[in-house]
Amino acid sequence: MESLNLFLLIGTGLMFTGLLLGSLSARFGVPSLLIFLVVGMVAGEDGLGGIEFDDFSTAYVIGNIALAVILLDGGLRTRLSTFKLGLRPALSLATLGVAISAALVGAFTTWLIGVDWRVGLLLGGIIGSTDAAAVFSVIKGAGVTLNERVASTLEIESGLNDPMAIFITLMLVGLLVDPDAEWGIGMLVTLLQQFGLGALLGLLLGAVISEVLLRVRSNEGLHALLLCSGGAMVFAITNLVGGSGFLAVYLTGLVAGNRRGGTGDNVLKAMDSMAWLAQSGMFLILGLLVTPSRLTENLPWALAVAAFLMLLARQVKRKGSK
């Protein structure tokens, strides 16, 4: 019982600290997700907390669930007219743009560090796509009103780019594990399957879930929980059949949020709380996984790659995918 209470105290204490500092960070223009990441690092094995956490499997599960909730919440808030407005540029950025960004970062990393070109491209594929949690959080807390098309394009692209990033990552991992393996049409089929099944199941199951929720009489808190659990089911089903669960759950939210007038304000407020819980928990876990003492080993290379990604690769990605 004591160990359970200690675990509960540590977990809730970290969450409370992160939320408190996150609420204050907006005054200084610091992204709240960075605060959660730092809180996790401070609580980790090299920090004041001294917590040793290296359970990557648990972190992977928590991260996937969190992203599913965040994308569902983003889809609920996207109006269909706005989605149509930003779909074309977002789709281009999420496919050709991610490939361009990954290739540029891969080439730069190979030249700078001297690693195998496949390792360089793998790094480019991993960091070439934008993170949905960060994009949605920054847009919400930016403190400025973005152009409708720009905001929509950013949100949609962050929800659509996972299939391309997964495709590039799996291809490069396959080449590293078995350099003599043939790849071509099979990889292309995987990419089309990710996009196709993700879009199909997201729209189809989203319509089913929204119809069920419209016929169920429940209070708004329970309605939000039903919506959230239904979205998680869509995410899991799509992943099980080989599609992109992230794309599917975003489209599920889009369908549910726009069907017959969409969801009420109180439901959206409840979903907003769930999304905050998801993204804060995810970044706290990621912070705990970081060992700050090991960051200095390759810090100059990491900063150089990050600067190249932000200042050049992203710009070429934007222009090249127009």
Side-chain angles (χ1 to χ4, degrees):
M1 182 62 73
E2 289 185 4
S3 60
L4 174 62
N5 289 327
L6 181 61
F7 176 80
L8 183 62
L9 175 62
I10 293 172
T12 54
L14 289 177
M15 183 66 72
F16 182 83
T17 303
L19 290 170
L20 182 62
L21 294 176
S23 64
L24 299 174
S25 66
R27 301 180 184 179
F28 306 99
V30 179
S32 58
L33 295 186
L34 179 60
I35 299 296
F36 289 113
L37 189 65
V38 171
V39 169
M41 292 172 63
V42 171
E45 56 183 314
D46 281 353
L48 300 176
I51 301 173
E52 295 186 8
F53 180 79
D54 59 357
D55 191 344
F56 291 93
S57 296
T58 299
Y60 175 78
V61 171
I62 292 174
N64 274 269
I65 295 173
L67 277 173
V69 174
I70 293 164
L71 286 166
L72 176 67
D73 179 64
L76 287 170
R77 299 171 191 278
T78 304
R79 299 277 63 83
L80 191 57
S81 57
T82 304
F83 180 81
K84 293 178 179 178
L85 188 66
L87 178 59
R88 184 175 178 180
L91 188 59
S92 178
L93 285 169
T95 51
L96 180 60
V98 171
I100 292 173
S101 181
L104 289 173
V105 172
F108 178 75
T109 304
T110 301
W111 169 79
L112 179 69
I113 306 177
V115 296
D116 185 279
W117 67 270
R118 290 164 294 189
V119 176
L121 284 177
L122 177 60
L123 176 63
I126 292 172
I127 67 175
S129 61
T130 49
D131 176 69
V135 169
F136 279 68
S137 176
V138 169
I139 290 178
K140 285 182 182 179
V144 295
T145 302
L146 295 176
N147 176 278
E148 183 182 22
R149 189 182 187 193
V150 172
S152 174
T153 300
L154 288 171
E155 291 187 349
I156 297 169
E157 192 271 341
S158 69
L160 295 181
N161 61 31
D162 287 288
M164 177 58 78
I166 292 170
F167 166 73
I168 295 173
T169 302
L170 289 178
M171 181 182 68
L172 270 301
V173 169
L175 283 175
L176 287 169
V177 173
D178 186 5
D180 298 324
E182 295 184 2
W183 56 274
I185 190 66
M187 287 292 182
L188 182 59
V189 169
T190 300
L191 176 63
L192 295 176
Q193 178 178 306
Q194 285 274 316
F195 271 109
L197 288 178
L200 177 64
L201 292 177
L203 295 172
L204 179 62
L205 296 180
V208 172
I209 288 174
S210 61
E211 187 65 32
V212 170
L213 292 176
L214 286 169
R215 296 177 182 276
V216 173
R217 295 181 178 274
S218 61
N219 61 58
E220 291 174 321
L222 182 58
H223 190 90
L225 287 173
L226 287 171
L227 182 59
C228 197
S229 59
M233 288 173 59
V234 172
F235 176 77
I237 291 171
T238 307
N239 283 331
L240 283 172
V241 298
S244 171
F246 297 116
L247 174 57
V249 76
Y250 178 78
L251 292 177
T252 295
L254 179 71
V255 172
N258 285 274
R259 197 166 189 196
R260 296 187 187 177
T263 52
D265 290 339
N266 290 332
V267 174
L268 290 177
K269 289 178 181 178
M271 283 300 304
D272 188 51
S273 297
M274 293 181 190
W276 269 107
L277 177 63
Q279 63 190 17
S280 58
M282 178 175 66
F283 277 82
L284 280 173
I285 291 292
L286 291 176
L288 286 172
L289 284 175
V290 175
T291 305
S293 61
R294 297 181 59 186
L295 293 179
T296 56
E297 298 175 9
N298 299 295
L299 185 60
W301 311 124
L303 291 176
V305 171
F308 179 85
L309 173 65
M310 292 187 295
L311 301 177
L312 183 60
R314 296 282 189 192
Q315 304 306 316
V316 176
K317 166 186 174 180
R318 178 177 60 83
K319 294 179 180 179
S321 56
K322 283 185 177 180

